Amino acid sequence: MDAFPILSLVLWLPALGALGLLLVPRENAELARRAALIVALLTFLVSLALPFGYRATPGDATTMRFVENLPWLPMFGASYSLGIDGVSLWLVLLTTFLLPIVILSTWDSVHVQVRNFQILMLLLATAMIGVFISLDLLLFYIFWEFTLIPMTLLIGIWGGSNRIYAARKFFLYTFSGSVLMLVAIIGLYVLHRDALAATQPGYAGTFNFSAILANLRSGALQLDATVERLLFGAFFLAFAIKVPLWPFHTWLPDAHVEAPTAGSVILAGVLLKLGSYGLIRFNLTLFPEASRWAAPAVAILAVIGIIYGAIVAFSQSDMKKLVAYSSVSHMGFIVLGIFALNLEGVSGAMLQSINHGLSTGALFLIVGVLYERRHTREMAEYGGIWKVMPVYAGITLLVALSSAGLPGLNGFIGEYTIMQGAFLAPELGWPFLAFAVLGVVLAAVYLLRMYQSVFMGDLRNPQNQNLSDLNPRELTALAALCVPIIALGLYPAFAFGPMQASVGETLAGIATAVAGR
């Protein structure tokens, strides 16, 4: 274990803050908001030590850093094992960065049971960070499942008129996939234990990810092709539902539309990334031959999602629904990059995961700003808004162009590297590139159509005449998101650098599988 358990500090600070909020009087909403914001800012500041302290170079035996390992349930081979590499590093930072922004947005959008809302948001942050840094499969599963509880309650209690239906659908979809993953985790544990017990009598087994991976790569644990594909499928379904990949996406629009603004931001910003992270961390790493076998089929689902999400987004008149379906399209890009199975594709998918969290999170905040003023998200209710809200209109244009993939902004870099990876992949090639390019064009069409409908033209609706521009809190939250949107577009090497060695390590098993064909 490293000298100072910084990962534990980042992990448990939000949960400790949630416990501290129980001491705040229920009726003192302002104090609850301020206390939650302080905890979120403190968590973000502590997490900044991770990128500055992270060092990994290609050729390292392992790129895991800040490793903590303590016995937890030794009779079952489970441990409190934490660590980060270049794959999880930026996802942890994305979580801690978005947390204070999300809490800041609740000043204008959450007015009932404020203390309970903040408690659930902080607990959700701990669960999501736990997913990204757990190196024990059982610990990972517990954090994975725990994310369901606060998110379901956030939708079900603070959501819109159809919130109960949306919350129930969100829970049942994601829980169903998770159960299959639990079966696969147990199966992998038993297979690993039995394989090593043949040479080490009395071996109790382990859930440690690094130990299982090392034995898979050394040949101490060998999986039959059928067994590997079954295990791959069980993990894949859980992650594909969470992403969500077409046709497992139907829970997402309902959840996004009914969730409060803060819930939509954290859902799009981080929760969906649990799925893409799982595909890279577990499917590609533990089951390389099955990943290679399934790559063309998964890539087809991904491009269907890209086109389908874009077409349905274009047909929406509700801005929040439009952004929700754009997530289906953008997450299809990420899955396409992952199953390109090369450095360009997976690195692009990782960067696009961060980009989507920033840009789509900002779009949901932007929709929330108008909704709090007019209580409608119908584009037909607006038009000419830029005349009364120029700062808001300027930031919205920047974010929309970022989401559409304009060169110079973050979205372009992610989509370009994904398309490069798809084109270079032997199993994919130019047909997948062509569909991806079409998806980029369609994204520009529906995002600019929304911008034109809401912001351009004359200010015809009298109810919009006195709309106020961004207040200081709204401006702070959106400006904070614009900084990395521009920075990643101008200097993406800052993000690519730390992840290269870890992506290379992830793909090492794929290269071996291809060489052994």
Side-chain angles (χ1 to χ4, degrees):
M1 178 185 291
D2 288 272
F4 184 77
I6 188 168
L7 285 184
S8 287
L9 187 59
V10 174
L11 173 64
W12 295 113
L13 256 178
L16 290 173
L19 289 175
L21 277 177
L22 292 174
L23 302 176
V24 175
R26 190 189 300 268
E27 63 278 5
N28 196 336
E30 185 66 17
L31 180 58
R33 292 192 188 100
R34 292 188 178 193
L37 182 61
I38 290 171
V39 171
L41 287 171
L42 189 59
T43 305
F44 173 61
L45 291 175
V46 173
S47 71
L48 286 178
L50 299 177
F52 290 108
Y54 183 84
R55 296 287 184 275
T57 55
D60 283 356
T62 175
T63 55
M64 285 295 171
R65 296 293 183 267
F66 307 105
V67 174
E68 301 174 26
N69 204 356
L70 293 171
W72 174 38
L73 296 170
M75 68 289 286
F76 300 115
S79 60
Y80 176 79
S81 183
L82 308 178
I84 59 167
D85 64 357
V87 173
S88 51
L89 171 66
W90 296 119
L91 292 171
V92 172
L93 260 292
L94 177 67
T95 308
T96 61
F97 175 70
L98 286 180
L99 184 61
I101 292 173
V102 166
I103 289 176
L104 202 58
S105 74
T106 63
W107 253 270
D108 298 308
S109 60
V110 177
H111 305 288
V112 296
Q113 301 190 59
V114 173
R115 187 190 68 169
N116 293 342
F117 186 95
Q118 306 297 352
I119 288 174
L120 290 173
M121 191 58 75
L122 292 175
L123 290 176
L124 179 60
T126 285
M128 293 187 297
I129 294 169
V131 169
F132 294 136
I133 66 176
S134 293
L135 295 182
D136 182 279
L137 288 172
L138 190 58
L139 189 64
F140 165 83
Y141 182 77
I142 290 172
F143 281 122
W144 174 275
E145 283 293 68
F146 188 67
T147 60
L148 293 182
I149 299 170
M151 194 67 229
T152 301
L153 292 175
L154 288 172
I155 298 172
I157 297 175
W158 289 272
S161 57
N162 206 18
R163 60 186 180 275
I164 301 300
Y165 168 76
R168 186 188 303 130
K169 193 173 181 181
F170 164 76
F171 184 88
L172 290 177
Y173 261 69
T174 49
F175 181 72
S176 301
S178 303
V179 170
L180 290 174
M181 181 169 65
L182 178 61
V183 172
I185 289 173
I186 295 172
L188 189 61
Y189 165 83
V190 171
L191 290 168
H192 179 255
R193 183 197 62 190
D194 292 350
L196 267 70
T199 56
Q200 304 173 31
Y203 180 70
T206 181
F207 285 98
N208 187 278
F209 169 79
S210 299
I212 293 173
L213 178 62
N215 288 319
L216 276 169
R217 291 185 172 175
S218 70
L221 170 61
Q222 296 182 352
L223 298 177
D224 174 80
T226 303
V227 172
E228 182 179 347
R229 290 173 185 180
L230 287 173
L231 292 173
F232 170 92
F235 274 93
F236 174 79
L237 276 175
F239 301 141
I241 291 171
K242 187 73 87 179
V243 166
L245 177 68
W246 185 91
F248 309 107
H249 67 283
T250 58
W251 64 268
L252 182 69
D254 292 318
H256 265 317
V257 171
E258 296 302 325
T261 297
S264 294
V265 174
I266 210 69
L267 181 62
V270 183
L271 214 64
L272 306 187
K273 311 307 176 302
L274 270 56
S276 56
Y277 168 77
L279 290 172
I280 296 173
R281 172 69 72 219
F282 297 103
N283 282 90
L284 264 56
T285 308
L286 293 176
F287 315 114
E289 171 55 30
S291 298
R292 186 202 57 76
W293 167 75
V298 177
I300 289 173
L301 297 182
V303 294
I304 291 175
I306 291 171
I307 304 301
Y308 167 83
I311 291 173
V312 179
F314 179 80
S315 67
Q316 300 304 313
S317 59
D318 182 311
M319 286 184 280
K320 202 172 186 184
K321 284 185 179 177
L322 184 151
V323 179
Y325 278 105
S326 78
S327 276
V328 176
S329 182
H330 285 132
M331 293 307 291
F333 272 100
I334 292 171
V335 175
L336 179 65
I338 292 172
F339 281 87
L341 303 181
N342 52 34
L343 189 63
E344 294 82 0
V346 178
S347 298
M350 282 304 307
L351 184 63
Q352 194 61 5
S353 293
I354 308 301
N355 294 338
H356 180 263
L358 297 169
S359 302
T360 306
L363 283 174
F364 277 117
L365 276 180
I366 285 167
V367 174
V369 166
L370 271 190
Y371 183 76
E372 293 305 322
R373 285 159 172 74
R374 285 287 321 279
H375 301 288
T376 177
R377 299 185 295 258
E378 287 295 321
M379 287 187 277
E381 288 290 319
Y382 300 99
I385 294 298
W386 70 273
K387 292 180 178 175
V388 291
M389 303 177 71
V391 177
Y392 173 70
I395 290 178
T396 302
L397 181 60
L398 176 75
V399 174
L401 293 175
S402 155
S403 188
L406 182 77
L409 298 174
N410 59 341
F412 170 75
I413 303 298
E415 289 178 349
Y416 170 77
T417 46
I418 286 172
M419 289 188 286
Q420 184 184 19
F423 180 70
L424 294 174
E427 281 84 5
L428 305 184
W430 69 265
F432 290 85
L433 172 64
F435 280 112
V437 170
L438 179 60
V440 173
V441 174
L442 292 175
V445 171
Y446 65 71
L447 284 166
L448 293 179
R449 170 179 167 267
M450 179 183 74
Y451 192 85
Q452 181 185 22
S453 301
V454 175
F455 293 93
M456 306 302 289
D458 296 327
L459 194 64
R460 292 188 296 270
N461 191 334
Q463 297 183 66
N464 298 328
Q465 297 282 350
N466 298 317
L467 288 179
S468 58
D469 210 337
L470 298 175
N471 64 39
R473 275 193 299 270
E474 293 166 338
L475 181 59
T476 301
L478 288 171
L481 285 165
C482 290
V483 171
I485 284 174
I486 296 171
L488 286 172
L490 296 177
Y491 189 60
F494 177 75
F496 277 134
M499 74 173 68
Q500 293 305 290
S502 299
V503 172
E505 185 183 355
T506 299
L507 294 173
I510 303 284
T512 303
V514 171
R517 291 168 63 185

